[in-house]
Amino acid sequence: IKRPDLSHDLSALRRESIRFVLLKAGDDPELAEEAFDVFFAERQRVELFDDALPALEWLAGRYPVVALSNGNADVQRIGLGQHFRAAISAREFGVAKPDARIFHAAASAAGVRPGEVLHIGDDAQLDALGALVAGLQVAWLNRDGHAWDHAPLAPHTTVADLMTLCNQLA
């Protein structure tokens, strides 16, 4: 399905994709809503990396933490909401990473200027490069040791796990 108008809304894209497949199969497209609801409930069942919760608790105890997502997981529904000052989703905001506007909105939600933000992300292009172009500081979470292919820009730090980052910030 080609729907550039929904590029920032993964939930709507998934719902429309399900509807399209049902139509192609000769099934009732109204089943898309129920199918998406099942998918969305499962999407909220998140298995965290071992370092994620301890690092989030450490960071939230020291800094205003803002969740920034192109996806549709909900920090409240997955049980992590208490650690975040705010959560901004591309669906609600209207643009997705790497658009600078969503990074600037996160800085505003944290109550700081963009240059005072340390954006922590695992996607080299959407998170790290997007945040750098938007004027943020970047910690690239590179668990798999990928090469950085976006010179001359580079993250301020690259870490293989979140506790390493916490130790750097201590």
Side-chain angles (χ1 to χ4, degrees):
I1 293 178
K2 296 201 178 223
R3 293 288 310 267
D5 59 310
L6 299 177
S7 63
H8 64 280
D9 188 345
L10 290 180
S11 292
L13 274 173
R14 287 185 175 115
R15 193 176 284 112
E16 289 304 308
S17 295
I18 295 168
R19 192 178 328 280
F20 177 77
V21 169
L22 287 168
L23 276 169
K24 292 277 288 182
D27 289 319
D28 181 1
E30 292 302 314
L31 294 172
E33 292 302 321
E34 185 178 336
F36 178 79
D37 290 345
V38 170
F39 161 80
F40 192 71
E42 286 301 308
R43 176 66 181 96
Q44 305 312 311
R45 292 171 31 133
V46 175
E47 186 174 329
L48 300 174
F49 285 96
D50 290 341
D51 61 333
L53 188 55
L56 184 55
E57 289 171 344
W58 189 90
L59 290 164
R62 289 159 180 79
Y63 306 102
V65 178
V66 176
L68 183 59
S69 177
N70 284 357
N72 53 9
D74 180 324
V75 295
Q76 297 299 331
R77 286 184 69 174
I78 61 176
L80 299 174
Q82 70 274 19
H83 302 295
F84 294 93
R85 176 175 286 187
I88 299 172
S89 73
R91 179 183 53 80
E92 294 167 355
F93 189 69
V95 297
K97 297 179 289 184
D99 190 300
R101 293 173 291 177
I102 199 164
F103 290 104
H104 293 166
S108 180
V112 299
R113 295 185 319 266
E116 297 174 302
V117 171
L118 177 64
H119 179 75
I120 305 165
D122 63 350
D123 187 290
Q125 186 169 353
L126 298 178
D127 285 311
L129 187 59
L132 286 167
V133 170
L136 282 64
Q137 299 174 64
V138 171
W140 182 30
L141 179 59
N142 184 7
R143 292 186 188 275
D144 297 320
H146 296 292
W148 177 259
D149 296 326
H150 305 287
L153 296 176
H156 294 82
T157 189
T158 299
V159 295
D161 63 81
L162 291 169
M163 291 314 295
T164 299
L165 177 62
C166 293
N167 290 331
Q168 290 178 1
L169 294 172

